[in-house]
Amino acid sequence: MDINLTINGIVHEVEISPGDNLLNALRSIGFVGVKHGCETGECGACTILLDSQPINACIYLAAQTEGHVIETIESLGEHPEQGWKTTPGLHLLQEEFVDSGAIQCGYCTPAMLLAAKDLLDRNDTPNEDDVREAFSGILCRCTGYKKPVQAVLRAAAAARGEDLEPITDRPPPPMEWSGGDPGFSNEIGDLPDEIQGAGSKAEEVIAPAQVMPRIELTPETEAWQRVGKPEKKVDALKLVQGKPAFAADFERRGMLVAKVLHSPVAHAHIKRIDKSKAEALPGVAAVLTWQDIPRVVYSTAGQSDPIPGPLDSFSLDNKVRYVGDRVAFVAAETEEIALQALALIEVEYENLEFILDPEEALQPGAPLIHDEPEYVNFADSNPTKNLAAEIRIDIGNVEQGFEEADFVYEGEYEVPKVQQAHIEPHVTITYWDENDRLVINSSTQVPFHARRQLAPVLGLPVKRIRVIKPRIGGGFGGKQEILSEDVAAHLTIATGRPVIYEYSREEEFIAARSRHPMRIKMKTGVKADGTITANAMYALSDTGAYGGHALTVTGNTGHKSMALYVGDGEYRKSPNIQFYADIVYTNHPPSGAYRGYGVPQGFWAVERHMEKIARELDLDPIEFRMKNSLRQGEMQPFSTAWSEGREPRPEMIETCALDQCVQQGKAALGWDQKFGNPEWQLVPGKPQLRRGVGVALVMQGTAIPYLDMGAASIKMNDDGSFNLLVGATDLGTGSDTVLAQMAAEVLGVEVDDIIVYSSDTDFTPFDKGAYASSTTYISGAAVVRAAQAAAQRIKLRAASMLNNQQTEASLIAGEIELIDNKAVAPDGRSISLADIALDTLHHNDQEQIMGIGSFVSPVAPPPFAAQFAEVIVDIETGQVLVDKLVMAVDSGVIINPLTASGQIEGGMTQALGYAVSEEMVYDQDGHPRETDLRDYHIFHAHEMPELTTIFVETFEPSHPFGVKAVAEIPMDGVAPAVGNAVFDAAGVNIDSNPVTPEKVWRQLQNSNRSLS
Ligand code: FES
Ligand code: FES
């Protein structure tokens, strides 16, 4: 049927089915700024204005909206200069989102902008609560909401004609630690509304706060023009306009829609499968079962060669190993037909005994999850014992250390399975190009690994596959897994037609990957003075049905969290550390990579355990930690013991500002006034409430030494601009921007003179992809090398051109500096890069100035951080409200304080979910409890605590600009800091996260804590 929709003032005739929702109808006619993140009205990515009211387009029938006025992001504003035409330009909100760093992946940005427009249309003086309320129906998994809220407040202030604090100013320095007044108050007005009750709203804040983080700068950054500055994101303009940028936005003519039939049972053989009825359904182009495609064993984990894990997966198999496993693929003309076809596939399952408990999986006689002959072992994997990996690392002699200890403390901790919950689902479009090469346009973090690993699965040589990575709407490790690409590719091979396969939100929960749940045992020997003499961890890790990331994720659990505390004195010189782990198969959905990559699990156990030891020994918890923690100039203790199954090599800690991080974090939180202050802990007039503060120290890694390689190429254009081609994949982290900043710094140009393209396996150099917090460090060093190579040619040509002018002395290239788009001689003469480009491309000794560089690091310099949390616990109900999170981070030099602080804010917010609300739970048959974003609670804008980020810069000598990693470390410390703060507030130890009201309440009941 045809309907007329009035969209942005223009009437469009749209062909729809009666059941089509407005989201699909709008996207089908090119309004791709309306995004799909779920099907049930929970994520808000599809927000549009209907008769000036924000609504979720996914839950409105398109036919219902005929005769109404629809506004999409495309109506808001546009680039001001379009060739000879000028436009009214961007809306103030769009400008402020760009300037304030409010965009990370940008997937939620159109929705936020429309919700903000609605707010400002109604209220020109909104306060922060108003903005957060306006955003309350839109989930953002990247930003932590802080910068989007500030962007709206700034836009409102600008609209009122008020002066705004310039964001280009140098960032504010950290707080002086003087022990003075940290600014806290014991007044009721400081409390969140939920606890205060109605009518006690905090003081209104209308003026926007500072969007920049606090930074203690290194002196090296002072001479730099582009590095260290809050440059605008190079891709921000297209994102605020809702331009086609994401994989699903690139529709192909004649494209089929793919759907997957998922297993309803946890473990079974497929005894019989009959697809004849589905194939006979009009509009169905292909139905594939395990009988239709080659049986090729592979790993879905996108990693470098050789894959550091077992090969245990098939695109389709005659056995299912978890509820949600793949059974069949369908491609049809429409989504509706594809779903009907799934229902017509007849499957007879021969149910097998299943295992959901990782301890039972290790018992002799347990049912085997992988008994297929094609299984390929890696390292100590052993499918006959349900072992996907085994780790045994001994550093020093823990038994001797325990004997030398005055006290030995043991504890058991547990961490749940949690979901990455990126708002853009996994999505792939595949098609044959005119040269019979298969094009895979995918939301992948690992385009080069995907090409290499899929080639045998698809029966194609690598050279006949091209993987394009467009903009990614968040990945957080979930898109390091090759999950949607093979489905679409098999169906394109079967039909010869373009195919799109996009996960539903339910599929993200049942059939994607998630963080490994673990049971962790700690045993620590301590002298009476607080010296750690030995520290041991055993982790039992549940990899679920497949084990691609089993070894590497769980290895990282010990490699980072157990490296932080080495002991003191003689023990510091020769620490006693043990890390053992069994990573077992169960019939749970597979675990995989999730931001932090095993380290958040480790630090939950280590930092809860350290807190308990400090309290038991009546030691200051921070002093106890600092006494034993790793320091600059010491060896990373695991570096000589383990390296993901490869040869370990020693690594020195060249930079560590943990002590300054602690001081800065304490100052920002007011730790000294609050910790151990019974008066502060009580809330006047609210006898059931207790306040508490907690801390966790953490470290991460930066890339994988001797393995992770990134490359870049750069070429000069006629006007002195440059194309920078990188294989690195920006997930929303801002990596394209920081890579452009580094290139711009070397070449002496503006950031917008660097046109970044990432990534396409046909055109961009290799990069291992976005994981292990490595892009700024690895790919950044490659960019610097490529830019230096180009700069060298530019200087040679400049010297030659200047020497031909009338001068007394001959210049040599080494004397030339590139600055302000010019090559400048020491005597002040200069020549523009545009003139050099014209000369080299058109006039004399023509050549293409370009450079290429690649980089692999011999070290993985760890970032360090001190994470603080302040909570309020209701000791009647067990409710925990996290009031403040403060993170002080040593990530080396900060290339862009806006994008980096956005990473920290967004990371702390994800970690907050891990601390208090997120977990994936299964019933006794392996069916998931959480299958949507209603049951799985990630934080909304109006629920957020105050977030503070402080960077303490160090200069890491292994990188040309001194950087270390930023992206993952904010995942590590929030949960234990919250757990420790809950203990501080209410005296209860919660050893399994999330710290839910029920757990706190039960512990309170057990401890018989009263209100007195
Ligand atoms: S896509 Fe509409 S609310 Fe999620
Ligand atoms: S920026 Fe909001 S979901 Fe990525």
Side-chain angles (χ1 to χ4, degrees):
M1 62 188 267
D2 287 347
I3 59 170
N4 290 320
L5 295 182
T6 307
I7 307 164
N8 304 332
I10 296 173
V11 177
H12 295 256
E13 190 174 290
V14 191
E15 187 186 339
I16 59 160
S17 302
D20 276 353
N21 64 35
L22 181 59
L23 166 63
N24 290 343
L26 289 170
R27 289 186 62 85
S28 74
I29 54 170
F31 291 96
V32 294
V34 195
K35 300 298 183 199
H36 163 239
C38 71
E39 301 75 35
T40 47
E42 282 139 13
C43 76
C46 62
T47 299
I48 53 130
L49 300 181
L50 185 71
D51 297 334
S52 302
Q53 298 290 318
I55 59 124
N56 292 329
C58 69
I59 52 171
Y60 263 72
L61 287 176
Q64 278 179 303
T65 61
E66 199 169 22
H68 295 266
V69 174
I70 294 168
E71 289 170 78
T72 68
I73 188 67
E74 286 84 356
S75 71
L76 209 56
E78 55 186 331
H79 197 295
E81 293 155 18
Q82 299 186 349
W84 48 261
K85 189 179 95 176
T86 52
T87 77
L90 295 175
H91 190 283
L92 262 180
L93 279 164
Q94 290 169 304
E95 285 178 356
E96 280 305 326
F97 264 60
V98 173
D99 292 349
S100 305
I103 306 161
Q104 287 197 27
C105 81
Y107 202 73
C108 68
T109 302
M112 282 193 171
L113 285 166
L114 288 170
K117 177 181 181 293
D118 166 60
L119 171 68
L120 297 196
D121 286 348
R122 292 183 282 108
N123 178 358
D124 64 357
T125 52
N127 64 20
E128 183 169 339
D129 288 343
D130 297 328
V131 182
R132 289 184 179 276
E133 187 58 35
F135 285 166
S136 62
I138 300 165
L139 290 173
C140 177
R141 194 59 159 166
C142 306
T143 63
Y145 305 101
K146 181 171 175 172
K147 289 183 170 59
V149 169
Q150 292 303 326
V152 177
L153 292 174
R154 288 174 63 89
R160 295 192 299 267
E162 295 168 15
D163 290 338
L164 299 180
E165 189 168 347
I167 292 171
T168 48
D169 279 356
R170 284 176 77 79
M175 302 175 81
E176 285 290 318
W177 177 240
S178 61
D181 178 8
F184 79 81
S185 149
N186 214 15
E187 296 304 312
I188 192 75
D190 276 351
L191 297 177
D193 291 348
E194 293 89 335
I195 277 184
Q196 291 179 57
S200 55
K201 203 169 177 179
E203 190 186 343
E204 286 204 339
V205 177
I206 294 177
Q210 175 59 256
V211 296
M212 291 279 276
R214 295 183 175 277
I215 305 187
E216 186 163 296
L217 295 158
T218 62
E220 284 89 344
T221 61
E222 278 170 18
W224 294 337
Q225 305 294 308
R226 306 287 165 238
V227 165
K229 304 295 184 289
E231 300 281 355
K232 295 173 192 173
K233 282 185 101 161
V234 295
D235 42 12
L237 273 185
K238 71 181 173 198
L239 297 168
V240 291
Q241 295 175 81
K243 296 247 168 144
F246 299 88
D249 298 344
F250 298 100
E251 198 182 329
R252 306 284 300 182
R253 192 178 302 157
M255 191 162 76
L256 297 165
V257 178
K259 288 286 164 192
V260 172
L261 183 66
H262 297 281
S263 170
V265 294
H267 200 194
H269 282 298
I270 297 176
K271 206 167 156 190
R272 185 182 69 86
I273 185 161
D274 183 351
K275 60 177 183 172
S276 55
K277 288 184 188 148
E279 281 182 323
L281 186 70
V284 169
V287 181
L288 300 177
T289 72
W290 68 273
Q291 291 154 321
D292 299 309
I293 60 175
R295 188 175 166 79
V296 179
V297 72
Y298 73 115
S299 170
T300 61
Q303 305 201 63
S304 290
D305 183 69
I307 299 287
L311 305 188
D312 58 7
S313 299
F314 303 88
S315 272
L316 286 167
D317 197 2
N318 56 8
K319 186 179 180 188
V320 290
R321 298 178 179 84
Y322 68 96
V323 174
D325 209 351
R326 298 152 158 209
V327 176
F329 306 155
V330 167
E333 300 295 340
T334 67
E335 182 179 3
E336 199 178 357
I337 297 170
L339 290 170
Q340 285 171 12
L342 291 186
L344 293 173
I345 300 171
E346 293 174 8
V347 190
E348 196 178 327
Y349 296 99
E350 179 191 336
N351 283 324
L352 300 168
E353 198 181 340
F354 58 84
I355 326 160
L356 299 173
D357 187 302
E359 270 164 44
E360 286 173 18
L362 281 176
Q363 299 307 312
L368 296 182
I369 292 164
H370 285 279
D371 51 3
E372 64 278 5
E374 296 90 345
Y375 186 101
V376 178
N377 275 304
F378 181 83
D380 295 320
S381 66
N382 185 346
T384 66
K385 294 181 177 173
N386 285 325
L387 264 178
E390 184 183 80
I391 298 169
R392 300 288 183 263
I393 300 170
D394 288 291
I395 299 162
N397 184 338
V398 287
E399 293 309 326
Q400 188 181 325
F402 291 137
E403 279 172 25
E404 291 165 7
D406 295 325
F407 308 96
V408 174
Y409 294 98
E410 297 190 56
E412 293 193 24
Y413 305 88
E414 195 160 355
V415 284
K417 196 172 184 67
V418 288
Q419 239 278 319
Q420 296 87 347
H422 31 75
I423 305 301
E424 180 203 35
H426 289 78
V427 57
T428 296
I429 290 174
T430 51
Y431 54 93
W432 289 112
D433 73 6
E434 64 280 12
N435 296 310
D436 292 313
R437 295 174 73 241
L438 186 75
V439 182
I440 300 175
N441 188 334
S442 172
S443 63
T444 178
Q445 293 178 225
V446 285
F448 287 89
H449 294 338
R451 178 177 66 163
R452 187 187 88 253
Q453 292 174 238
L454 282 174
V457 175
L458 302 176
L460 285 166
V462 166
K463 65 187 174 189
R464 283 189 61 196
I465 300 174
R466 174 184 174 192
V467 179
I468 301 170
K469 176 230 59 108
R471 182 73 192 171
I472 302 176
F476 316 121
K479 293 172 182 170
Q480 195 190 336
E481 205 84 17
I482 303 160
L483 295 180
S484 56
E485 292 85 352
D486 65 315
V487 177
H490 282 302
L491 289 165
T492 285
I493 290 171
T495 62
R497 291 176 57 182
V499 172
I500 182 170
Y501 178 43
E502 185 171 18
Y503 268 40
S504 66
R505 184 53 58 185
E506 181 177 4
E507 283 178 301
E508 289 293 340
F509 281 101
I510 67 167
R513 301 297 184 254
S514 45
R515 184 175 283 157
H516 290 69
M518 295 184 195
R519 294 173 194 163
I520 297 174
K521 292 181 182 170
M522 296 289 307
K523 184 174 177 183
T524 306
V526 193
K527 296 268 193 200
D529 69 353
T531 301
I532 293 176
T533 61
N535 203 14
M537 173 187 279
Y538 169 75
L540 180 60
S541 176
D542 182 352
T543 191
Y546 300 101
H549 285 282
L551 175 73
T552 45
V553 162
T554 310
N556 226 22
T557 301
H559 187 276
K560 305 296 186 296
S561 69
M562 290 295 284
L564 183 56
Y565 296 111
V566 289
D568 202 13
E570 288 306 305
Y571 297 99
R572 178 174 290 284
K573 293 182 195 150
S574 179
N576 299 313
I577 303 173
Q578 182 181 81
F579 175 60
Y580 286 4
D582 293 313
I583 305 98
V584 302
Y585 289 114
T586 68
N587 294 108
H588 279 132
S591 306
Y594 180 11
R595 190 177 184 181
Y597 209 71
V599 184
Q601 293 98 313
F603 273 118
W604 168 258
V606 167
E607 286 299 288
R608 286 293 297 117
H609 196 63
M610 291 300 148
E611 184 73 16
K612 286 194 226 172
I613 294 171
R615 301 268 182 171
E616 284 280 334
L617 291 177
D618 203 19
L619 298 170
D620 179 273
I622 293 180
E623 284 172 17
F624 167 62
R625 286 173 167 89
M626 292 306 294
K627 176 180 174 63
N628 291 288
S629 65
L630 196 58
R631 294 175 190 164
Q632 189 169 310
E634 294 176 344
M635 199 72 81
Q636 207 292 16
F638 279 69
S639 65
T640 51
W642 191 80
S643 184
E644 299 195 349
R646 291 169 295 109
E647 184 197 348
R649 309 190 207 196
E651 283 180 54
M652 188 73 82
I653 304 297
E654 298 285 355
T655 54
C656 174
L658 200 47
D659 51 351
Q660 293 96 321
C661 290
V662 165
Q663 292 309 317
Q664 295 297 339
K666 282 172 70 173
L669 191 82
W671 173 272
D672 282 356
Q673 286 78 13
K674 296 175 180 177
F675 180 71
N677 178 347
E679 189 193 345
W680 174 77
Q681 289 190 304
L682 295 175
V683 179
K686 300 276 179 182
Q688 79 280 19
L689 301 184
R690 295 287 184 279
R691 286 165 152 155
V693 287
V695 65
L697 305 187
V698 292
M699 62 183 272
Q700 260 283 353
T702 305
I704 305 167
Y706 295 102
L707 179 70
D708 284 346
M709 194 278 274
S713 71
I714 192 159
K715 77 175 173 65
M716 191 179 198
N717 297 318
D718 304 54
D719 62 349
S721 67
F722 297 86
N723 291 106
L724 172 61
L725 305 183
V726 288
T729 52
D730 189 335
L731 312 179
T733 53
S735 65
D736 283 356
T737 305
V738 299
L739 297 180
Q741 285 180 257
M742 287 187 254
E745 185 70 48
V746 174
L747 292 163
V749 297
E750 303 281 339
V751 172
D752 71 2
D753 291 319
I754 306 288
I755 303 144
V756 184
Y757 183 63
S758 71
S759 43
D760 179 329
T761 55
D762 268 15
F763 299 122
T764 58
F766 176 87
D767 191 291
K768 53 88 195 167
Y771 56 84
S773 293
S774 61
T775 303
T776 306
Y777 181 76
I778 294 286
S779 312
V783 165
V784 170
R785 286 181 175 183
Q788 284 170 336
Q792 183 59 19
R793 286 304 305 161
I794 293 168
K795 290 177 182 178
L796 279 167
R797 295 298 298 242
S800 164
M801 291 170 78
L802 290 168
N803 282 334
N804 284 338
Q805 296 175 358
Q806 300 298 313
T807 59
E808 290 164 13
S810 287
L811 275 170
I812 55 169
E815 297 173 313
I816 304 271
E817 268 193 81
L818 301 183
I819 191 161
D820 294 336
N821 296 69
K822 290 185 293 233
V824 183
D827 60 8
R829 286 176 302 141
S830 68
I831 187 163
S832 74
L833 296 197
D835 285 343
I836 296 169
L838 282 175
D839 189 65
T840 56
L841 291 170
H842 301 280
H843 302 158
N844 294 299
D845 295 331
Q846 287 90 332
E847 64 168 313
Q848 169 67 68
I849 288 184
M850 62 188 303
I852 186 155
S854 52
F855 182 71
V856 60
S857 175
V859 291
F864 294 89
Q867 176 71 59
F868 293 85
E870 183 175 319
V871 304
I872 301 164
V873 179
D874 185 322
I875 60 174
E876 283 181 350
T877 65
Q879 186 190 9
V880 175
L881 272 170
V882 179
D883 209 12
K884 290 187 174 71
L885 292 175
V886 174
M887 188 169 190
V889 194
D890 161 19
S891 284
V893 168
I894 299 302
I895 302 288
N896 185 324
L898 273 185
T899 59
S901 58
Q903 287 284 290
I904 299 294
E905 290 155 11
M908 281 199 283
T909 305
Q910 281 185 26
L912 180 61
Y914 196 49
V916 299
S917 64
E918 296 182 33
E919 63 181 323
M920 299 168 79
V921 177
Y922 297 83
D923 71 14
Q924 71 275 13
D925 296 320
H927 292 99
R929 184 180 71 180
E930 291 80 17
T931 57
D932 57 37
L933 291 166
R934 181 177 47 233
D935 291 336
Y936 189 83
H937 187 86
I938 70 178
F939 270 74
H940 293 70
H942 62 292
E943 302 166 323
M944 289 296 300
E946 182 183 319
L947 302 176
T948 301
T949 301
I950 303 163
F951 290 113
V952 179
E953 287 193 336
T954 53
F955 192 92
E956 165 56 38
S958 61
H959 187 276
F961 286 117
V963 307
K964 300 192 283 186
V966 174
E968 291 184 290
I969 195 165
M971 302 300 292
D972 297 340
V974 172
V978 167
N980 295 340
V982 167
F983 180 83
D984 189 54
V988 294
N989 271 311
I990 308 298
D991 292 331
S992 69
N993 66 317
V995 182
T996 59
E998 182 184 343
K999 289 178 191 169
V1000 175
W1001 182 82
R1002 287 194 187 285
Q1003 286 281 331
L1004 284 164
Q1005 297 305 303
N1006 291 343
S1007 65
N1008 289 324
R1009 189 171 173 114
S1010 73
L1011 293 179
S1012 57

